[in-house]
Amino acid sequence: MSRSALTMNHAIVHADVTADLSLDGRDEHLEAMTLTNLRRDIIHRTAEHAAATGSTVSLVITDIDAVATLAVHPDGKVEETAPRQPRTADDEQRPATPVAAAPAPSVIESAPVWKPQSDAYPATGAPEPEAAAAPVVPSAAPVPSAAEAPSAAEPADAPSAPEAAPAPQAAPVSDAPSAPNLSTPQQTLASWRESAAPSDSSAAPAADQPGGSLASPPARPEPSAPIHDTRPPRSAPAAQQAAPSQQAPSPQPNQPQASAPQPARAQQRPTPKPAQQSPQAAPPLPSMTQATPAAAAAHPSAPAGPRKSFLVQETVEEPAQQGFRGFMTKMGAKVAPSERERAERADEQAVSQHWPGPRTIAVVNGKGGAGKTPTTILLSAILARYGGAGVLAWDNNQTRGTLGWRTEQGPHESTLLDLLPNVQQLLGTGAQSADLASYVHHQTRDRYDVLRSKPMALAAAQRISGDDVDAIHAVASKYYRLVVIDSGNDESDPLWLQMIDHADQIVVATTTRDDHAEAGALLLDALRARDERSAKLAANAVAIVNQADPKESKHELRRVSDGYREFAREVVAIPHDPAMVDGLLRLGSLDPTTQRAWLAAGAAVARGL
């Protein structure tokens, strides 16, 4: 019974750099450019099979020069489970249990030990053990070959099998380690390197022999004991003739030579001659990334430090568009803008940017009439006009909030009380942004939306909780990038406290009246004492001081503004404008000076986001 009949997993490596692999009854034919790659493919395919089944795979490999039994684990580790045996001519039909035979010659004992983690069969993730040294047979005479020794299992006069594989030939033993017989076609250069050790004598390279492996590159082998052959010597390749000092000496007539019949395997599967070897047998070319002394001398070293980029981005300033400088630009003379125009352009850039994720701005003051609603409207208009759509003004006042009275009304009368029952639907995956148009009022000129309260109803009729504020804010954050909240006057109201918890920026709206200014300052003091997050909001607050009374002097506006600079991040003063006093409020209806002041206020808020 053959070995392959006793195991479900086996691989047979042929000299033409192909292999037949069988794993659990599934056969696969493998091809590679070199024997090393072919052996590596066999181990990798078996390791993948072991990982897929989750169990260790026992694999019998009939290689070019040996038969080995391996255990391939799911983690890629490879172990040898049985002693290595030389391959014979009937290797494909070799019985799994070796037949009793005469003791092998001593030269077989000096064959290299098969390494399961060597370069022939690498084991992924496992270190490579050191090669075992081949023992030296202390004999002064040539050891007879296995073909000449009578077998204990069969008579001496019995006819030999048609394709009996001869045992490896014996080489003359000297003080140097014995080298394997290169006349055997299955002997590879890797096995020769494992068994050979450096000595003073030299040997002919394996590529010079007809039995050299196709996978063995014609690298210069290490010196070994002299090897003699009955065949006429062949000339070494041109790559090896360049080093005559390492050529093997020609055999002497009086020196003993080992003789053995040519193996029958060589007649069935002849190995190509070195002249017909594939390009892989050529000496490897140096890598392009390897720096040689000649290349280093020819090319100077790179300059120290980072290389200067060819992509130089230069900011080209637009010519002036305002005042006399703008007039000169229209006449054809490109004049640089003034510092005032540059500051205005910087504010426009600040309010035009978009931030990653939604941002919430809370406009606060504990005193009624301090200008919270006009501040909410005009900040929303500035951020929407310059930065684009996606801005919502939310009236979070349940005591007759007037945000809806001072903004445009849409084609419906919906308020936040109509939005609350549909929160889950609007937060669902099937909801669209157009669905929200039934609950908000779009401002056609200033391009933002308004979520109104219901000022006609009493506070008890439209009482909402902190959870309702969370639900409305979740909807607003899903559909808008900026949410500006107009708050009420009760700082203890759950709506007001929940708004502070959602805020990213606090804006204190006040007028030049002392009670309004003091109420705003007390509110910031309360936030600083509330918790750490509220204290950070108070430190980052922006104060907008509005000159609501036209009779107030510029001195009063400056006095209140300077007072807030002691505890606010930025303070912006807004001059008096009759369009802000009453009625529908739009940014375009304001005086240009007032519009410029609100642009500065919007930029101050944007810098805190």
Side-chain angles (χ1 to χ4, degrees):
M1 184 179 295
S2 66
R3 180 186 300 272
S4 60
L6 294 178
T7 179
M8 294 293 292
N9 309 308
H10 63 271
I12 301 176
V13 180
H14 306 299
D16 57 352
V17 203
T18 62
D20 296 321
L21 177 63
S22 178
L23 297 175
D24 289 344
R26 293 182 297 179
D27 299 334
E28 183 178 3
H29 183 72
L30 303 178
E31 297 180 359
M33 299 298 295
T34 63
L35 284 175
T36 301
N37 293 338
L38 183 63
R39 294 165 179 144
R40 195 173 286 127
D41 291 344
I42 293 174
I43 294 300
H44 287 174
R45 296 294 178 87
T46 309
E48 291 176 357
H49 181 70
T53 58
S55 60
T56 302
V57 176
S58 179
L59 177 67
V60 176
I61 300 181
T62 303
D63 204 344
I64 293 296
D65 58 343
V67 178
T69 304
L70 307 179
V72 183
H73 300 279
D75 58 356
K77 184 179 179 181
V78 181
E79 295 179 351
E80 185 178 6
T81 58
R84 177 184 177 188
Q85 300 178 7
R87 174 173 174 171
T88 60
D90 57 343
D91 55 293
E92 298 177 0
Q93 299 296 331
R94 184 183 182 91
T97 304
V99 181
S106 59
V107 70
I108 296 179
E109 298 178 0
S110 64
V113 178
W114 188 87
K115 299 190 304 178
Q117 298 178 6
S118 64
D119 54 352
Y121 295 97
T124 58
E128 180 180 355
E130 297 180 358
V136 181
V137 180
S139 176
V143 181
S145 63
E148 298 175 348
S151 175
E154 51 185 51
D157 56 351
S160 60
E163 294 183 5
Q169 299 176 4
V173 179
S174 62
D175 294 337
S178 60
N181 186 7
L182 294 184
S183 63
T184 304
Q186 289 81 5
Q187 183 66 38
T188 61
L189 180 59
S191 300
W192 182 87
R193 283 181 175 174
E194 292 176 2
S195 60
S199 64
D200 296 336
S201 59
S202 60
D208 190 30
Q209 300 295 338
S213 173
L214 289 176
S216 304
R220 187 164 49 212
E222 300 172 357
S224 177
I227 300 174
H228 308 287
D229 198 352
T230 56
R231 295 171 292 181
R234 302 176 58 88
S235 59
Q240 297 177 356
Q241 292 178 0
S245 61
Q246 300 189 11
Q247 291 288 342
S250 59
Q252 301 296 331
N254 57 356
Q255 197 169 3
Q257 299 179 358
S259 62
Q262 295 295 329
R265 184 68 178 175
Q267 298 176 2
Q268 295 180 359
R269 209 183 290 271
T271 306
K273 297 180 180 181
Q276 300 177 355
Q277 290 180 357
S278 59
Q280 284 74 20
L285 295 177
S287 174
M288 296 298 292
T289 59
Q290 295 177 355
T292 60
H299 301 282
S301 59
R307 178 183 61 83
K308 184 178 180 181
S309 175
F310 292 97
L311 304 176
V312 180
Q313 184 177 3
E314 297 182 359
T315 303
V316 179
E317 187 179 36
E318 296 181 3
Q321 301 293 330
Q322 299 178 3
F324 179 76
R325 294 170 178 260
F327 174 77
M328 295 297 297
T329 300
K330 294 179 181 178
M331 297 299 296
K334 294 184 178 180
V335 182
S338 62
E339 292 301 326
R340 181 178 179 180
E341 186 173 356
R342 287 193 179 100
E344 182 174 350
R345 291 180 180 181
D347 290 345
E348 291 177 354
Q349 183 179 5
V351 298
S352 300
Q353 61 181 320
H354 286 202
W355 296 267
R359 296 291 190 271
T360 301
I361 304 168
V363 182
V364 296
N365 194 313
K367 186 70 174 175
K372 295 187 296 293
T373 298
T375 300
T376 302
I377 294 173
L378 295 175
L379 282 180
S380 301
I382 287 290
L383 294 171
R385 276 201 174 191
Y386 288 95
V391 180
L392 175 68
W394 171 10
D395 193 353
N396 190 39
N397 187 355
Q398 53 189 359
T399 56
R400 299 190 185 278
T402 60
L403 181 63
W405 287 353
R406 304 209 60 182
T407 54
E408 296 181 54
Q409 180 178 344
H412 55 80
E413 296 183 357
S414 298
T415 64
L416 55 85
L417 298 178
D418 301 309
L419 173 67
L420 277 174
N422 301 283
V423 165
Q424 297 302 325
Q425 177 183 354
L426 293 172
L427 292 177
T429 56
Q432 300 178 357
S433 58
D435 298 338
L436 201 61
S438 301
Y439 309 100
V440 297
H441 302 262
H442 181 65
Q443 307 301 300
T444 56
R445 297 285 183 89
D446 293 333
R447 306 172 186 175
Y448 66 96
D449 295 340
V450 174
L451 180 61
R452 294 182 169 190
S453 63
K454 197 169 185 178
M456 301 301 297
L458 297 176
Q462 56 176 345
R463 180 69 62 181
I464 61 177
S465 64
D467 294 337
D468 295 334
V469 175
D470 294 340
I472 297 174
H473 186 267
V475 174
S477 300
K478 177 181 178 180
Y479 293 98
Y480 296 95
R481 62 184 182 88
L482 290 174
V483 180
V484 185
I485 304 180
D486 183 9
S487 64
N489 303 327
D490 188 0
E491 301 172 9
S492 63
D493 190 351
L495 274 71
W496 195 94
L497 296 175
Q498 208 71 12
M499 173 195 66
I500 295 298
D501 292 338
H502 289 293
D504 298 299
Q505 173 73 69
I506 293 294
V507 176
V508 178
T510 183
T511 65
T512 53
R513 286 176 49 177
D514 293 341
D515 55 343
H516 292 164
E518 185 65 19
L522 291 175
L523 187 148
L524 292 180
D525 293 339
L527 288 178
R528 280 190 288 268
R530 184 188 181 211
D531 52 37
E532 183 180 357
R533 185 179 183 278
S534 300
K536 292 181 179 180
L537 290 174
N540 193 45
V542 174
I544 298 180
V545 183
N546 181 22
Q547 185 183 357
D549 190 355
K551 298 180 181 179
E552 292 286 348
S553 62
K554 298 291 184 180
H555 172 72
E556 290 296 325
L557 182 62
R558 189 179 305 108
R559 179 183 65 85
V560 176
S561 299
D562 292 342
Y564 268 96
R565 286 190 175 92
E566 297 180 1
F567 44 84
R569 176 174 57 84
E570 290 190 54
V571 180
V572 180
I574 306 296
H576 174 74
D577 196 308
M580 295 177 54
V581 176
D582 197 6
L584 191 65
L585 183 56
R586 293 192 180 97
L587 181 64
S589 62
L590 302 180
D591 186 80
T593 304
T594 310
Q595 293 186 33
R596 177 65 185 93
W598 280 109
L599 175 60
V605 173
R607 283 189 286 269
L609 299 178

